[in-house]
Each structure stands twice: as structure tokens, then as C-alpha cells.
Amino acid sequence: MALGAVGKKVSLTEKAYQMLREAILSGELKPGEVLTEEGMADLLQISRTPVRSALQQLASEGFLESGRKNLTVARVDAEELRDIDQVRAELEPLSAKLACQKGLTEEQAKELRAYCQGQEQAAREEDVKSFFHAGENFHIRLAEFSGNPFLASMISRASMAAVRYLTNQARPEHFLDASGAEHERVLAAVLSGDAEAARRAMKKHIQGERGGKENGSCETDFQRTGQGSADHEEVHRAGGESL
């Protein structure tokens, strides 16, 4: 979703929030970039009040960092990615298990399957943005379908942080893989009614993706300038993140 004028059919605050969040996730707004109320209001062609509320919400969710005078797009470094790995390795299998125990509706299963298919298509077309978007949605929505809002909130934040990291790599296309097919297998396990099988399928998916990404490119635009080399080495030790 490119930044531009917002529509008037939804809350301006919510729309501004959605557009700014998408711009951060897609890498359109880069880590370290300064965001001002005035600048974003001019860009979105709305008043500063809804922009201020949207920026405050994004800051509370970790997308932005507060400086002395301005807000900047938060960086996700290798150390934080390692923390994300550890959290998701425990929480994602739980969400699959709970979703299986609760049971998915036909519409929920259809939605998750669409994300799997969308990710497979994006990989074939080398559409990095759509690939990450579909994978992120699969994990977040499955967590929401678990029936545990607190769990879903933590997984959502972790998933979006991982997407921010990967989309700001120098060659994010190197992370295109068979996640769509992996997600299909996770979904099949959830739909099987075997909660332990669902947990194991998600655990295997995450561990396999993490191992595969250890061989991927983890060089960010920030690191290409000669900065952040320690982070670059650390992420190879920590491994990548599954999406």
C-alpha cells in the first residue's frame, strides 16, 4: 500500500495508522527515518490530529522510537530478531494447538488457505512484499483463531517485527522459500483435530525455516554502509525468522 491521500469512509486515525504501519512493514518508510506530524499530515492530506493519534499508537506498539523532538522508525536488529525467534518458537506451536482444540470454522480455514496459496504465488512471481504479507497474515490470523487474545497480540507484534527486519535486508528476495507449502501442512494438521500434531507441525515449520534462513543474506541497507557489522554476524548465529 503506497502512501497517499486517505479516504473518508473509515476513521481517519485508523486509516492513517493502517497506511503508516503498512509503509513501515513494506520498507517504504525506512528504519531510522524521521516522521513528523506535519510531514505525515501533508503526505496523507489530512489534519494533524488523527496523524498524531496514529503515530502515538505506532510508538506504543514498537514501530516508532521517541527522540528528543521527533519520532523515528524503529530498527529491528539481529539481537532483537534472536529474541523474536525465541518467543515465536514457544508461542506459535501453542497457537496452532489451541486453534486445533477450538476448531476452525469453514470461513477461517478458507481464509488461511488463501494466505498459503497467495504466498506460493508470490514466491513464484518473486513478489517479496506480497510473500511476507501473506505469511505474516497466516501466523497472525491463526493465532487470533486460537481464542486467546493475549497470545494473538504477542504473536502479532513478533510477526510484524520479523517482517520489518526481513524487508529491510539488502536482498529480501533471498528469503523467498516454500513457506506456503509449509503453512498448508500446518493448516492440515490443525484441521485434523489432533492438537499435538498441530503443535508439532508448527514447531517443525518454525525450526525448519529458522535453519534455512541461516544461509540467507542478512545484510541490511544500514549494514551496507559499513555500520552494524556486529549485528550481521550475530544474525547468522541466531538464525532467521519464519514467516
Side-chain angles (χ1 to χ4, degrees), residues 3 32 34 44 49 53 68 83 92 102-103 105 141 144 146 150 158 173 175 181 196 213 215 223 228-229 237:
L3 287 172
V34 175
L44 299 176
T49 299
S53 298
R68 291 185 176 180
D83 294 340
E92 295 271 12
K102 187 173 185 291
T105 67
R141 293 295 282 161
E144 290 174 350
S146 74
F150 186 72
E173 66 276 6
F175 294 98
E196 180 57 25
K213 293 205 172 58
N215 298 320
Q223 291 159 348
S229 58
R237 292 194 293 270

Side-chain angles (χ1 to χ4, degrees), residues 13-240:
T13 295
E14 178 62 23
K15 190 63 176 179
Y17 164 80
Q18 291 174 355
M19 295 185 73
L20 290 171
R21 186 183 71 168
E22 177 62 24
I24 293 171
L25 289 173
S26 69
E28 185 177 352
L29 292 176
K30 301 292 185 182
E33 187 168 343
V34 175
L35 305 186
T36 65
E37 290 180 16
E38 182 178 6
M40 293 300 100
D42 288 344
L43 186 61
L44 299 176
Q45 298 179 26
I46 57 177
S47 68
R48 293 175 61 174
T49 299
V51 169
R52 181 182 306 118
S53 298
L55 292 175
Q56 289 172 346
Q57 184 175 349
L58 289 166
S60 72
E61 294 176 351
F63 287 97
L64 303 177
E65 296 175 338
S66 298
R68 291 185 176 180
K69 296 182 178 181
N70 297 309
L71 290 170
T72 61
V73 178
R75 300 183 188 280
V76 180
D77 60 21
E79 182 177 357
E80 186 173 356
L81 186 66
R82 181 182 60 192
D83 294 340
I84 292 167
D85 274 342
Q86 293 173 344
V87 170
R88 293 188 72 185
E90 299 301 322
L91 297 188
E92 295 271 12
L94 176 59
S95 76
K97 177 181 177 179
L98 293 179
C100 180
Q101 291 174 333
K102 187 173 185 291
L104 298 179
T105 67
E106 184 177 341
E107 285 301 311
Q108 288 171 342
K110 182 179 179 181
E111 179 182 343
L112 292 174
R113 190 167 289 112
Y115 293 137
C116 298
Q117 295 168 349
Q119 196 170 30
E120 290 175 346
Q121 180 178 348
R124 289 192 298 270
E125 297 175 354
E126 297 188 351
D127 183 345
V128 174
K129 180 179 177 181
S130 295
F131 178 84
F132 287 145
H133 183 68
E136 171 200 7
N137 279 334
F138 178 88
H139 284 274
I140 291 175
R141 293 295 282 161
L142 180 60
E144 290 174 350
F145 296 153
S146 74
N148 187 320
F150 186 72
L151 175 65
S153 176
M154 290 190 290
I155 289 176
S156 176
R157 181 165 182 171
S159 295
M160 289 187 286
V163 168
R164 285 162 50 209
Y165 184 90
L166 295 175
T167 54
N168 283 288
Q169 300 307 298
R171 292 175 291 277
E173 66 276 6
H174 286 189
F175 294 98
L176 295 173
D177 54 26
S179 289
E182 288 284 338
H183 289 157
E184 286 274 14
R185 285 190 279 273
V186 171
L187 178 57
V190 171
L191 293 173
S192 73
D194 186 336
E196 180 57 25
R199 186 196 69 79
R200 288 197 306 268
M202 181 64 86
K203 188 79 170 181
K204 181 178 180 181
H205 164 57
I206 291 180
Q207 290 176 337
E209 289 294 318
R210 289 172 65 188
K213 293 205 172 58
E214 288 178 356
N215 298 320
S217 169
C218 294
E219 180 185 19
T220 63
D221 292 332
F222 177 60
Q223 291 159 348
R224 276 203 313 250
T225 65
Q227 305 176 67
S229 58
D231 285 343
H232 180 55
E233 292 300 322
E234 179 64 23
V235 75
H236 279 282
R237 292 194 293 270

